[in-house]
Amino acid sequence: MDFKNKVAVVTGGTQGIGKAVCLKLASLGANIVVNGIGSIEQAEAVKKECEAYGVQAIAVISDISSFDEAKHLMDEAVKAFGRIDILVNNAGITRDQLILRMKESDFDDVIRVNLKGCWNCMKHVSRIMTKQRYGKIISMASVVGVQGNAGQINYAASKAGIIGMTKSLAKELASRGINVNAVAPGFVDTQMTEVLDEKIKEQILAHIPFHKMASPEDIANVVAFLASDLSSYMTGQTLNVDGGMVM
Ligand SMILES: NC(=O)c1ccc[n+]([C@@H]2O[C@H](COP(=O)([O-])OP(=O)(O)OC[C@H]3O[C@@H](n4cnc5c(N)ncnc54)[C@H](O)[C@@H]3O)[C@@H](O)[C@H]2O)c1
């Protein structure tokens, strides 16, 4: 896979899966736009790690759940590099709780960041990629969006929504040379899963044929495949990367 002269925007690229995606694509030659929220230091650190591969990178702090800030992210990418070849919609949050205890704000926050944020970025990048008649949009779903999970009704809804948006946008943009796909990770070793109780972790691992969590790099490898022209005849698909958890 060769991403020389390609430009990739990775939302939530400051840690976990997003950071692994930034580094994987940079190692294969892509110029990288690292997005995150909060402090610029974490984003700048990932930018520097990307640059160590001899590519160019910029760090952009913007909350992708805001329509205008998502536009700002795409504008900054185009200002720096003149185009966007790859968008990885990776930013996501959890607010887990059983429905009887879940607050309305827990539902709204997760839908706003995971689903609306993904739509905001799809919306703004579609115009740019349509003009180029080239683009790869890869969004981070989850196996929870495929099979559901107790305590994650908000998260499951957002991830199932991403799978639906991926199929719809794939149909809209195929004629413009744009591939739209999703990855559904299973259980990945990041800060998102660090907070889980050891007992719950053991229960999850018992249902994974490989009996281990994925590394962020396991997910980044599949994102790289979908971002490359090796997958140019694939669109509207969601690839489960879950150690055999869902089949
Ligand atoms: N870790 C897992 O087991 C797992 C499994 C399936 C799917 N996923 C999905 O993969 C993606 C990455 O997960 P992770 O485990 O690396 O999570 P993480 O919590 O380690 O990282 C999330 C990233 O998203 C960013 N972010 C959060 N809200 C944002 C916003 N409004 N605007 C911009 N950036 C924002 C954070 O700054 C961070 O960089 C998420 O979409 C998550 O739902 C994770």
Side-chain angles (χ1 to χ4, degrees):
M1 280 182 273
D2 183 6
F3 290 99
K4 201 157 181 275
N5 297 324
K6 295 271 195 273
V7 177
V9 174
V10 183
T11 70
T14 59
Q15 63 183 48
I17 296 170
K19 178 180 174 183
V21 169
C22 288
L23 297 182
K24 181 72 193 178
L25 296 180
S27 75
L28 295 167
N31 296 321
I32 307 291
V33 179
V34 186
N35 158 257
I37 43 168
S39 82
I40 184 79
E41 283 79 19
Q42 227 187 339
E44 289 282 355
V46 177
K47 165 186 139 78
K48 282 209 182 82
E49 283 191 60
C50 290
E51 287 168 342
Y53 287 107
V55 301
Q56 295 177 57
I58 60 168
V60 182
I61 296 300
S62 59
D63 177 350
I64 51 96
S65 72
S66 146
F67 188 75
D68 292 343
E69 288 195 37
K71 181 167 190 308
H72 171 73
L73 170 61
M74 304 310 159
D75 288 347
E76 288 297 302
V78 171
K79 200 162 88 187
F81 299 114
R83 56 187 292 116
I84 300 173
D85 299 286
I86 300 158
L87 166 66
V88 183
N89 279 316
N90 167 77
I93 60 168
T94 51
R95 297 283 183 271
D96 298 351
Q97 202 54 266
L98 294 171
I99 194 160
L100 293 181
R101 288 202 214 113
M102 187 177 283
K103 291 187 284 190
E104 187 184 7
S105 60
D106 294 331
F107 185 83
D108 290 346
D109 287 350
V110 169
I111 297 298
R112 185 173 44 78
V113 175
N114 297 9
L115 188 61
K116 175 73 180 345
C118 182
W119 180 84
N120 287 339
C121 293
M122 284 174 163
K123 162 87 180 158
H124 295 305
V125 92
S126 289
R127 188 180 299 279
I128 296 161
M129 289 181 172
T130 297
K131 275 195 202 137
Q132 293 169 180
R133 299 193 82 79
Y134 183 89
K136 310 279 184 186
I137 300 174
I138 300 116
S139 303
M140 214 51 76
S142 165
V143 292
V144 168
V146 178
Q147 64 170 13
N149 194 25
Q152 291 198 304
I153 192 169
N154 48 1
Y155 186 77
S158 72
K159 296 303 185 179
I162 286 178
I163 294 170
M165 290 204 301
T166 295
K167 292 176 184 176
S168 303
L169 195 62
K171 289 182 178 181
E172 287 189 27
L173 298 183
S175 64
R176 313 298 169 99
I178 300 166
N179 303 65
V180 187
N181 290 294
V183 175
F187 190 35
V188 191
D189 191 6
T190 68
Q191 276 188 26
M192 190 174 269
T193 48
E194 218 173 66
V195 294
L196 292 176
D197 187 87
E198 281 307 314
K199 226 171 151 190
I200 292 181
K201 279 190 189 176
E202 275 168 32
Q203 283 169 5
I204 299 173
L205 288 175
H207 291 99
I208 301 174
F210 279 138
H211 292 300
K212 61 175 184 183
M213 296 172 89
S215 69
E217 291 73 25
D218 288 326
I219 311 303
N221 289 338
V222 177
V223 172
F225 167 67
L226 289 175
S228 79
D229 290 327
L230 290 180
S231 57
S232 56
Y233 197 59
M234 287 178 66
T235 200
Q237 303 304 307
T238 299
L239 294 184
N240 291 2
V241 186
D242 61 0
M245 199 175 169
V246 175
M247 59 172 102

